[in-house]
Amino acid sequence: MIAAASIGTAHAKCGAGTKTLFSCPTKNGKQIELCDAGKTVEYSFGRMQAKPEIIVSVARAQASTSQWAGIGRWMSYAVDIPNGKTVYNVFWGVDRLSDNHDTEAGVNVMVDGKPIATVECTGKNIVQNMEGVDLKQSE
C-alpha cells in the first residue's frame, strides 16, 4: 500500500471514527477525498480550506470496488460512489514494473454509464487506502 504525506491542508479531513480511503490534491487547487465511516462511504470534492462543492454519502451497500487481482504490471484500485444517474469512480493505479512507478489517480465522473469528466491528482500528496476495502465488487 502506498500512502503519501499528510493531508493537513485538505478542506474536509475524514472525521473521527472514519478512515481515509483516498485523498489527493488536483492541479486546479481542489481536493478529492473518500472516507469510510463504517455504515456509509463519503465522497467529497472542492477547494482546499473551503466548503466542498460536492459531498455524496451513500450506504456501504451502495458503494462498490474493483481490486487488483495480483496479476500484471498495472496494480489498480477503485471505489464507485453512485448518486442518482451519476457515478463517481475514485481510482488509483501504479505501474509496478517501471523504474518511476508511474501513478495515475483521480476521479472519473460517469452519467448514465458514459464518461463526462476525469479529474486527475497532482503531486505526491496522494493517500491511498482502497486496497482490501470491504465493499461489494463493481460490475
Side-chain angles (χ1 to χ4, degrees):
M1 185 176 342
I2 295 176
S6 167
I7 56 171
T9 59
H11 65 282
K13 291 183 0 180
C14 294
T18 66
K19 177 181 179 183
T20 301
L21 293 177
F22 182 86
S23 179
C24 78
T26 67
K27 63 183 168 186
N28 59 1
K30 296 187 179 183
Q31 186 81 11
I32 299 168
E33 192 163 68
L34 188 63
C35 305
D36 184 346
K39 293 183 180 184
T40 61
V41 179
E42 183 176 282
Y43 164 77
S44 66
F45 176 81
R47 293 233 172 258
M48 294 182 200
Q49 303 300 330
K51 182 179 176 183
E53 297 167 27
I54 300 168
I55 298 175
V56 180
S57 182
V58 299
R60 182 173 212 84
Q62 291 180 289
S64 59
T65 187
S66 51
Q67 301 277 309
W68 181 56
I71 301 170
R73 71 182 295 154
W74 190 254
M75 180 171 54
S76 64
Y77 301 94
V79 171
D80 291 337
I81 303 296
N83 184 28
K85 294 181 178 188
T86 303
V87 173
Y88 299 96
N89 168 256
V90 179
F91 66 90
W92 178 89
V94 65
D95 182 345
R96 301 179 315 113
L97 302 180
S98 79
D99 290 338
N100 296 331
H101 295 297
D102 300 323
T103 301
E104 291 182 4
V107 62
N108 295 311
V109 182
M110 316 267 273
V111 176
D112 288 327
K114 297 176 185 166
I116 63 162
T118 297
V119 180
E120 295 181 350
C121 298
T122 187
K124 301 289 183 194
N125 294 329
I126 299 172
V127 176
Q128 189 289 106
N129 295 309
M130 294 185 286
E131 182 178 351
V133 64
D134 185 22
L135 298 171
K136 69 182 176 187
Q137 188 67 27
S138 295
E139 296 177 9

